[in-house]
């Protein structure tokens, strides 16, 4: 079946640091890939997506590129802010469902 | 405003007392789903529905029931709750699934359930 493996957390960074959260996947066919973000006390919301190989999703300074050859969709941001503190989930669609990774808690220190 | 609404947001109950968590969406979405979120396990799908009167089991359906009599509503029913169902529950909806750009899921704010 489909599965998503993402970087274990928690991750703590200083403000303006560079962020990478790794995500790799196993899937049949050509899934769409997503990053969702969960701010404290809220539900998940879509951060960015990519629907085919070599697509780059971007939003709010975050980027991720759909790499079919390495089955990866790593999340990056050049300069993080305190407001980016949240839990980040990598996910993919396939077999009529959305499969999530376990989530990575990110804390940004001023 | 487009949204997915879950009620209640917080619920404390006792073992064996039947409860229902409601979920409603106002976006005319075909696909709806329930997840539970537990520390270290991420989100796991309980049940999903591709359309009215069409429901199917997700990864962890035991102890739960759902129904989809109307497009906008997808209640989650716990007939006899047990402590291992203490969790954070999310309802989500989507225009469809498996169609690329239409795959985006919209989540409710969550229901935190404690079963004593």
């Amino acid at each position: 079946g489909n599965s998503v493996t993402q970087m274990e957390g928690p991750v703590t960074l200083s403000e303006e640091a560079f962020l990478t959260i790794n995500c790799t996947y196993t899937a049949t066919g050509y899934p769409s890939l997503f990053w969702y973000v969960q701010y404290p006390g809220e539900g998940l919301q879509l951060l960015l997506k990519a629907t085919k190989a070599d697509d780059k999703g971007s939003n709010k300074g975050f980027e991720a590129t759909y790499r079919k050859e390495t089955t990866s969709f790593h999340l990056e941001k050049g300069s993080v802010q305190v407001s980016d503190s949240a839990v980040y989930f990598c996910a993919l669609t396939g077999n009529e469902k959305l499969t999530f990774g376990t989530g990575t808690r990110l804390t940004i220190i001023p | 405003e487009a949204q997915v609404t879950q009620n209640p947001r917080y619920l404390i109950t006792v073992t064996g007392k039947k409860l229902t968590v409601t979920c409603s969406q106002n976006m005319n979405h075909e696909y709806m789903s329930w997840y539970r979120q537990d520390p270290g396990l991420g989100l796991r799908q309980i049940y999903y529905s591709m359309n009215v009167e069409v429901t199917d089991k997700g990864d962890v359906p035991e102890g739960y029931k759902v129904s989809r009599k109307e497009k906008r509503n997808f209640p989650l029913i716990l007939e006899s709750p047990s402590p291992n169902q203490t969790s954070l529950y999310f309802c989500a909806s989507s225009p469809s699934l498996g169609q690329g750009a239409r795959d985006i899921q919209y989540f409710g704010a969550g229901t935190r359930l404690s079963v004593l």
Side-chain angles (χ1 to χ4, degrees), chain A:
Chain A
N2 296 339
S3 67
V4 176
T5 302
Q6 64 179 100
M7 182 174 171
E8 291 284 334
V11 174
T12 302
L13 295 173
S14 297
E15 204 165 21
E16 299 183 2
F18 184 86
L19 169 71
T20 299
I21 300 178
N22 291 336
C23 172
T24 58
Y25 67 91
T26 302
T28 55
Y30 302 92
S32 295
L33 302 175
F34 304 85
W35 278 99
Y36 282 83
V37 58
Q38 184 181 29
Y39 298 106
E42 299 183 10
L44 280 73
Q45 56 186 274
L46 180 70
L47 179 60
L48 54 83
K49 65 176 173 64
T51 57
K52 61 183 187 295
D54 300 325
D55 265 2
K56 177 186 282 188
S58 61
N59 186 26
K60 300 181 180 180
F62 290 90
E63 292 183 340
T65 301
Y66 190 144
R67 301 282 188 206
K68 194 160 169 49
E69 64 275 14
T70 55
T71 61
S72 65
F73 193 55
H74 304 321
L75 182 68
E76 296 182 337
K77 187 174 185 181
S79 176
V80 292
Q81 305 300 314
V82 172
S83 57
D84 294 327
S85 297
V87 181
Y88 292 81
F89 292 92
C90 186
L92 64 81
T93 52
N95 300 326
E96 299 177 345
K97 62 185 289 187
L98 190 62
T99 300
F100 287 90
T102 54
T104 302
R105 182 176 298 279
L106 173 66
T107 302
I108 307 301
I109 300 170

Side-chain angles (χ1 to χ4, degrees), chain B residues 17-28:
Chain B
K17 186 176 181 181
K18 180 180 178 179
L19 66 91
T20 299
V21 184
T22 64
C23 174
S24 180
Q25 51 94 4
N26 62 0
M27 295 169 279
N28 201 38

